[in-house]
């Protein structure tokens, strides 16, 4: 059986479709939500709004991760690296769907600025890929390490009884650790100063805004 190789135009059109689905659509998870077997807890209004704000941040983070991987995969030089990035992006689609579901359960919505977050993250991913696959994979390592840390913070900040949100974040955290380890094993390098610090600052801005908007 012949396997068709996608042309740059094919990849561009596929990327546009993926972007629209990520930002405006309803991505479907390949894996069931970790929250599925758990009973929903009773939250007062302040707890519900706080949990929703945290899950909105994490939903936006998954929009950014999806965009980063899409931008990197579109311009990856090595086909195996491209496939690795696309496989990781599939996990992020699961995360995106799980967070969206949890936001609905909390009677809330995603960030209104998700198109902006997606565009900026895609540009960063594409720029990293243009430098080279090892730098691109290094962005994956650094991004996932920072996401792992902020997920740990959110696990501590959720209302104690919100086990459904906590189950989603715990599985996401495990997946992010695996993504970072895999990217490192494929040759991802440590990013030079001041890039990690700038990534952290941009993340703080995103989290502050997405919690409310």
């Amino acid at each position: 059986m012949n396997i068709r190789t996608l042309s740059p135009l094919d990849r561009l059109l596929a990327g546009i479709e993926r972007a629209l689905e990520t930002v405006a659509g309803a991505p479907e998870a390949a894996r069931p939500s970790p929250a599925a077997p758990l009973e929903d807890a009773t939250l007062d209004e302040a707890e519900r709004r706080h949990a929703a704000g945290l899950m909105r941040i994490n939903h936006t983070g998954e929009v950014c991760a999806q965009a980063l991987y899409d931008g990197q995969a579109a311009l990856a030089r090595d086909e195996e690296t491209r496939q690795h990035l696309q496989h990781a992006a599939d996990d992020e689609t699961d995360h995106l769907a799980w967070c969206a579901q949890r936001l609905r359960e909390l009677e809330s919505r995603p960030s209104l600025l998700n198109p902006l977050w997606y565009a900026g993250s895609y540009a960063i991913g594409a720029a990293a890929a243009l430098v080279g696959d090892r730098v691109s994979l290094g962005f994956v390592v650094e991004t996932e390490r920072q996401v792992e840390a902020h997920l740990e913070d959110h696990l501590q900040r959720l209302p104690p009884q919100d086990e459904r949100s906590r189950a989603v974040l715990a599985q996401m955290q495990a997946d992010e650790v695996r993504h970072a380890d895999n990217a490192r094993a494929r040759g991802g390098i440590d990013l030079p100063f001041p890039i990690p610090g700038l990534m952290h600052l941009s993340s703080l801005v995103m989290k502050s805004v997405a919690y409310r908007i």
Side-chain angles (χ1 to χ4, degrees):
M1 181 177 67
N2 292 328
I3 300 176
R4 180 173 175 241
T5 301
L6 294 180
S7 69
L9 179 59
D10 291 330
R11 290 198 291 269
L12 174 62
L13 294 175
I16 292 173
E17 180 180 6
R18 193 177 183 106
L20 291 173
E21 181 177 285
T22 298
V23 173
E28 294 186 5
R31 295 174 290 171
S33 171
L38 301 172
E39 293 291 331
D40 210 349
T42 299
L43 304 174
D44 64 30
E45 183 61 17
E47 290 171 333
R48 183 193 65 78
R49 291 171 64 88
H50 178 58
L54 295 180
M55 293 309 292
R56 182 160 43 252
I57 289 171
N58 288 295
H59 183 274
T60 295
E62 296 308 318
V63 168
C64 293
Q66 188 78 71
L68 187 70
Y69 282 131
D70 287 348
Q72 290 172 294
L75 298 178
R77 301 178 186 181
D78 177 69
E79 184 59 31
E80 288 188 5
T81 298
R82 187 193 317 280
Q83 291 177 5
H84 166 79
L85 292 165
Q86 290 173 338
H87 179 70
D90 290 340
D91 282 349
E92 304 298 346
T93 300
D94 286 352
H95 299 171
L96 194 64
W98 298 343
C99 288
Q101 177 184 353
R102 188 62 188 139
L103 278 171
R104 290 191 296 271
E105 293 170 354
L106 292 166
E107 301 176 9
S108 193
R109 52 153 181 80
S111 170
L112 299 176
L113 299 179
N114 276 347
L116 177 63
W117 305 128
Y118 186 97
S121 297
Y122 188 98
I124 292 171
L130 284 174
V131 176
D133 285 356
R134 294 186 67 200
V135 171
S136 184
L137 290 167
F139 261 93
V140 173
V141 174
E142 183 61 33
T143 298
E144 300 295 27
R145 293 302 186 209
Q146 292 193 18
V147 171
E148 176 193 355
H150 106 242
L151 286 171
E152 182 61 35
D153 176 59
H154 283 195
L155 284 166
Q156 303 303 317
R157 293 172 60 196
L158 280 169
Q161 69 273 37
D162 188 3
E163 292 298 332
R164 286 178 67 84
S165 295
R166 186 167 283 103
V168 169
L169 298 192
Q171 182 59 57
M172 287 168 54
Q173 187 182 47
D175 289 343
E176 310 302 9
V177 170
R178 175 166 48 83
H179 293 164
D181 290 344
N182 289 345
R184 175 73 74 187
R186 291 196 61 83
I189 63 172
D190 291 330
L191 299 180
F193 175 85
I195 293 176
L198 292 174
M199 292 170 66
H200 179 66
L201 286 175
S202 66
S203 174
L204 290 177
V205 172
M206 181 275 286
K207 287 187 282 188
S208 177
V209 174
Y211 183 85
R212 298 172 176 82
I213 302 176

